[in-house]
Amino acid sequence: MSAIPTYDADQLAGMLAILPDVDSVELKLTVPDDFQRSAVRALGIDPLDAVLRQVAFVDTPDLRLSSAGVVVRARRTQRKPGDLTVKLRPAMPHDVPEGYRGHDGFKVELDASPAGYTCSCSLTVQAPDRKVRKLMLGARSVHGLLDDDQRALLGERLPEDVEVDDLTVLGPVNLLKCRFRAEGYAGRMVAELWVLPDGTRILELSTKAPPAQAFQTAAETKALLAGKGLDLSTPQETKTKAALAALTAPGAGGPEAGGRTEAGA
């Protein structure tokens, strides 16, 4: 097994500087396709505990929002309401627009993986599942699902020549999400298996921790995964970046499948 990667001094200093101002820390690891089955067995993950989800993104066909550091995501979950998220990434705590701290559904989160870390802020609101489904089918405008605060947050980074009604639904992508407890590990972990349009599968393992416990949780998680034979030095990729690339690839049926959202629908 490769050596467990360690952040350098500059990375650690950067993390320490922003930890007091984030709401939570999420530790993530993507598992290469060749090792996904063995990882599931080693960690004792039961696929029958998984919940089915659908995720779609709203962007321009050439991903202008993503390039500007903003993600608009719609999500459906079995037997639960849907939700809609506007996320600014990266966004350091001092970049958070005034008035959002303490807002219900708003959070500032630090995501850390063996490849490095990034900080983001996001605002999530619930929406009836039937409305989110219509959005994913291209039969409803995202403008009508966003609340006023989400539209204002989106406006922080919306390119000047892009209007909300110019946006396109990309997806959905089907995924399985499973919460589990691994033997010898005190906390609870999450496994998400994303199946992209090109057949690629992304398995992400994650766990969350309060900022004050981030380093302790990271050490315990590294020990667990290394002990189970998972290689923490493999190349890492974010689910969102990989999904957007697959959904907009030629012949993937990305923008054409979802279509332009219909204003006023």
Side-chain angles (χ1 to χ4, degrees), residues 185-239:
Y185 184 76
R188 186 169 63 172
M189 300 189 70
V190 173
E192 285 191 12
L193 180 66
W194 290 47
V195 182
L196 304 184
D198 61 2
T200 301
R201 299 182 306 174
I202 298 178
L203 176 62
E204 180 190 82
L205 306 174
S206 65
T207 189
K208 291 189 176 184
Q213 299 175 18
F215 284 95
Q216 177 67 28
T217 302
E220 294 172 354
T221 305
K222 280 186 177 182
L224 168 73
L225 299 178
K228 298 295 184 180
L230 276 72
D231 188 347
L232 306 186
S233 66
T234 56
Q236 299 292 296
E237 59 181 338
T238 68
K239 304 184 302 293

Side-chain angles (χ1 to χ4, degrees), residues 58-61 65 72 135 138 140-146 151 154 158-159 161-169 259-265:
V58 182
D59 207 324
T60 62
L65 292 191
V72 179
L135 174 68
R140 186 181 180 90
S141 168
V142 68
H143 192 279
L145 284 180
L146 294 169
R151 283 191 285 271
L154 175 59
L158 188 68
D161 57 345
V162 175
E163 300 291 338
V164 175
D165 290 331
D166 294 332
L167 303 178
T168 294
V169 176
R260 186 182 297 266
T261 58
E262 300 178 6

Side-chain angles (χ1 to χ4, degrees), residues 50-89:
V51 174
L52 179 63
R53 274 185 163 178
Q54 284 188 318
V55 172
F57 300 94
V58 182
D59 207 324
T60 62
D62 57 353
L63 302 181
R64 298 285 303 282
L65 292 191
S66 179
S67 297
V70 59
V71 176
V72 179
R73 181 193 69 202
R75 188 167 56 188
R76 301 179 66 210
T77 303
Q78 268 183 316
R79 297 181 292 276
K80 289 185 177 181
D83 60 51
L84 197 69
T85 296
V86 175
K87 176 181 290 188
L88 305 185
R89 183 172 61 194

Side-chain angles (χ1 to χ4, degrees), residues 10-49:
D10 288 341
Q11 289 176 309
L12 288 173
M15 285 188 64
L16 286 169
I18 62 177
L19 273 177
D21 297 315
V22 302
D23 300 316
S24 66
V25 176
E26 186 167 13
L27 308 172
K28 299 180 177 182
L29 174 75
T30 55
V31 181
D33 188 74
D34 292 345
F35 300 98
Q36 290 177 4
R37 290 183 181 274
S38 59
V40 168
R41 289 196 298 268
L43 292 169
I45 301 172
D46 187 347
L48 294 185
D49 290 335

Side-chain angles (χ1 to χ4, degrees), residues 104-154:
D104 188 33
F106 183 82
K107 65 180 178 181
V108 180
E109 188 168 62
L110 187 147
D111 291 338
S113 79
Y117 68 90
T118 185
C119 193
S120 65
C121 67
S122 63
L123 178 57
T124 299
V125 297
Q126 283 193 356
D129 179 73
R130 58 182 176 81
K131 292 185 178 181
V132 178
R133 183 169 184 266
K134 283 185 177 182
L135 174 68
M136 291 184 178
L137 293 172
R140 186 181 180 90
S141 168
V142 68
H143 192 279
L145 284 180
L146 294 169
D147 72 5
D148 291 342
D149 291 321
Q150 286 182 311
R151 283 191 285 271
L153 189 63
L154 175 59

